Amino acid sequence: MLRLISALALLFALALPGVAQQAEPATTPDRSATGGAQTLEDILARQLGETVNDEFRREATGDPDSAASTIDQLGTLGGASDPELWRALRFGTADVTVSTADVRGKVLVQDGGMWWLSVRQGPLIQYGLWLLGGTFIALVIFYLLRGKIRVEGGLSGRTIERFKFIERMAHWTLAGSFILLGITGILSLIGRKFLAPTFGLEANATVLMVSKFIHNNVSWAFMVALIAVFVMWVWHNLPSRTDLVWISQAGGIIGSKHPPAKKFNFGQKIIFWSVIVLGASVSVSGLSLLFPYEITLFAKTFGLFNDWGLTALMGLEPLATQMSPQEEMQYAQLWHAIVGFVMMAIIFAHIYIGTVGMEGAYDAMGTGEVDEAWAEQHHSIWLEEVKAKQDLPKNSASTPAE
């Protein structure tokens, strides 16, 4: 356990470097030596996320009268050259003809992603790993303080079916696919920052290529299993009055009382609805990443926020409702990763309770059979209902027909 905690702490330490403060914008550099083109200072400032005035590039056009001679080192042909074309493409002033009717198809160069790159390589990784590390450490501390929740009086040796095979298959398909998606997602996120400097570019490229293939294909199994789990268990996870008793007694985790519960207690309902809601959200954002031209998720969502007055209520300017596919993918990727980190933290707690945190809990999904003493302690109402159904045929058979 100590080695595992030490290794995990080392991983988080690598991701927690302080965010360097951005330097003040530098004065306008002297571009006489470059014929008015950008300088090294401009490039470095842009990489640091500083605001760079692009007017010197945006307004620069071919001018035969002021063009350098073609025999000079920086000479041009008639005042117009390829850089003029790329400048026009970058700033959206080029006359572009495309076969698609979508106006976004004319966007050939989109350079508005520096903010996304800064967030992705900085706060997203840093706070995401903080969340996972903090959740893991909190669970370790809780275990050291509370210990494993035992079945009072010991196990009875008599078992009762809790989950059918189809239920367990859907659960393990959802769980297994999510684990693969979480691992490959993290590798894709931290590869450039951690894997490439440590193992080299070629190794990182191989890992990311395999991760991308697994992530894109396993995602379909996750979505199918998510729907199956929802259909099978939604009725059992609706709120009920027994949840109030469970809440008042903290689910028996803190203290010695064990509140009555149906098939799923309030804590399990929280896990269920968190997985369903967040799983649906991460699935939709993943689909928008796979099909950016067909699913314009954030432009429409921002439009609704503007129409409902939510942005004005929060004192914000109206959000953008016209986005290129690249911009849609930037927002979708960030949301996809944020929701994924939150889901992983929640699943950490779910795995803890289902394994080392509670005696007899794993059997429910392991074999589908649970000890009656465990069921009586944690799901007494459900146990009574199951036994009543099992006794019903016998009682019916012994009752004479009228």
Side-chain angles (χ1 to χ4, degrees), residues 367-385:
T367 64
E369 302 278 338
V370 295
D371 192 90
E372 286 191 9
W374 179 91
E376 177 64 31
Q377 180 170 306
H378 299 291
H379 299 273
S380 58
I381 299 177
W382 168 79
L383 179 62
E384 293 175 1
E385 292 175 347

Side-chain angles (χ1 to χ4, degrees), residues 220-235:
W220 301 107
F222 174 82
M223 287 184 279
V224 171
L226 185 70
I227 296 173
V229 166
F230 175 78
V231 171
M232 288 189 293
W233 291 341
V234 62
W235 177 255

Side-chain angles (χ1 to χ4, degrees), residues 157-168:
R158 300 183 303 274
T159 62
I160 189 170
E161 184 182 51
R162 177 151 173 79
F163 293 112
K164 299 182 182 299
F165 174 77
I166 186 66
E167 294 177 292
R168 289 185 286 124

